[in-house]
Amino acid sequence: MLGLFCAWLFANAVFVTPYYAAESIYLPLLLLAAFVSVAGLSRESQAQLFRAGVALVAALVLLGLLQYYFDFWRPGPMPQRAAATFVTPNSFATAVNLFLLPLAALHLVGQSARLAYPLSLWLFAGLVASESRGGMLALLAGLGFVVTCVGLRGLWERRARLLGLLGGALATWLAVVVAKSLLVPFVQSMDGVGPTLDTWFARPTWDRAEIYGITLQLILEQPLGGAGANMFIPLFEAAKSDLFAGSIFYFAHNDYLQVWLEYGVIGLGLLIALACIAIARAWRWASSRCSGPCRWTLRGVNCSCRCSCC
């Protein structure tokens, strides 16, 4: 199914879309190559790769915190929010969640190394600094998935770990936000252009509904075949209302809508089928063949991937 999905994305980028973009060609190739490569690794090699990924994301969190506090170097047009080397903070939050959820799950079930807890809080600090509400929603959904797996009895048996995880997350959130409120006046006094203090709830939410509405209108113009890879930006720029004047939107903030717009019903169907098959197979395989940290790491990563699509 993944091969079919990547093949459709590649064919669309080469033969269908009128908007050329190199990433439309190499992204499906990289996606397929990555899955094939990891599938051929041994379990120990996969664990080492996961540890390397945690180390990399932990370093990116440090860069993101420097951006968040001091408006340090950033590659995209999103000031005052952590994005590390990603174009948008939401992409950074997705990358953080891919490792934060498994670490939190491993700590909760008590089958992890001692570093899992502090690393979870460190990655959570990066998620808070991204100020990505979608990323936070994906984290909560993933934790809810893990909690469902553990069950009420399991939660009661692990109540100390659960309370420690929730308390640590709350303390980390407060520390990140309070530290910014203290550092912003200092940075502004240095250069006069320091980052402004923004809150999680100060940004409007109505804009998402407006974005979804415009995207759906664009979808209905070509609902079957789609407009072509990377066509969201030019189409949305031409159709957006005056409410978004002066702003550029790179994404629809909903992968299912954007895939439908660009790759048509076939692309959307393949994406949904891929998600459903991945969830079903991961759950069945983890429940029947895995035990210990492997099972919870797999479930955490799997749920993070699915939740990050919305």
Side-chain angles (χ1 to χ4, degrees):
M1 183 58 66
L2 177 63
L4 289 176
F5 181 65
C6 291
W8 178 251
L9 266 58
F10 180 79
N12 188 289
V14 174
F15 302 109
V16 177
T17 182
Y19 185 84
Y20 172 78
E23 60 266 25
S24 299
I25 297 176
Y26 68 71
L27 280 180
L29 298 178
L30 289 177
L31 177 63
L32 183 60
F35 271 83
V36 171
S37 300
V38 173
L41 297 177
S42 64
R43 184 175 300 180
E44 180 60 30
S45 298
Q46 292 177 358
Q48 293 176 355
L49 185 62
F50 177 76
R51 296 187 190 101
V54 171
L56 175 60
V57 173
L60 291 177
V61 167
L62 176 59
L63 175 58
L65 290 174
L66 291 176
Q67 294 170 340
Y68 182 69
Y69 291 127
F70 304 107
D71 204 23
F72 187 67
W73 173 88
R74 60 180 68 254
M78 299 292 293
Q80 296 114 30
R81 295 172 63 187
T85 58
F86 297 87
V87 176
T88 68
N90 293 331
S91 300
F92 174 54
T94 299
V96 170
N97 272 334
L98 289 175
F99 296 92
L100 171 56
L101 271 169
L103 287 173
L106 289 172
H107 172 74
L108 180 61
V109 298
Q111 297 176 340
S112 62
R114 294 180 179 179
L115 288 178
Y117 181 68
L119 282 173
S120 298
L121 298 184
W122 175 252
L123 296 190
F124 182 71
L127 182 61
V128 174
S130 74
E131 294 188 349
S132 172
R133 292 171 296 195
M136 192 61 66
L137 180 63
L139 174 64
L140 293 176
L143 290 178
F145 181 81
V146 173
V147 166
T148 302
C149 295
V150 174
L152 294 178
R153 180 177 179 180
L155 282 179
W156 178 252
E157 294 173 351
R158 299 170 176 85
R159 59 188 179 277
R161 287 182 172 272
L162 177 62
L163 292 175
L165 193 62
L166 295 176
L170 178 60
T172 300
W173 187 316
L174 293 176
V176 171
V177 174
V178 171
K180 183 175 182 180
S181 67
L182 296 176
L183 287 173
V184 164
F186 172 73
V187 175
Q188 289 178 332
S189 66
M190 291 176 59
D191 55 18
V193 196
T196 58
L197 181 61
D198 191 12
T199 65
W200 281 79
F201 307 104
R203 303 195 311 277
T205 56
W206 55 263
D207 58 344
R208 296 300 172 88
E210 186 75 14
I211 294 171
Y212 297 161
I214 296 175
T215 304
L216 189 57
Q217 292 177 5
L218 295 172
I219 288 172
L220 295 179
E221 295 178 3
Q222 303 181 70
L224 299 179
N230 272 305
M231 284 298 293
F232 171 79
I233 297 177
L235 290 177
F236 190 87
E237 287 298 303
K240 70 181 182 182
S241 63
D242 295 337
L243 295 173
F244 300 125
S247 300
I248 298 178
F249 290 85
Y250 299 95
F251 310 103
H253 293 281
N254 185 304
D255 285 350
Y256 298 103
L257 284 180
Q258 186 156 345
V259 167
W260 189 5
L261 169 63
E262 296 182 344
Y263 299 99
V265 170
I266 295 178
L268 177 64
L270 289 172
L271 176 61
I272 295 175
L274 179 62
C276 294
I277 292 173
I279 292 174
R281 292 189 62 182
W283 181 273
R284 184 168 58 250
W285 184 80
S287 300
S288 62
R289 296 182 56 185
C290 286
S291 60
C294 178
R295 176 176 60 184
W296 297 104
T297 300
L298 177 60
R299 287 179 175 176
V301 171
N302 180 51
C303 188
S304 175
C305 292
R306 304 286 76 76
C307 293
S308 296
C309 288
C310 15

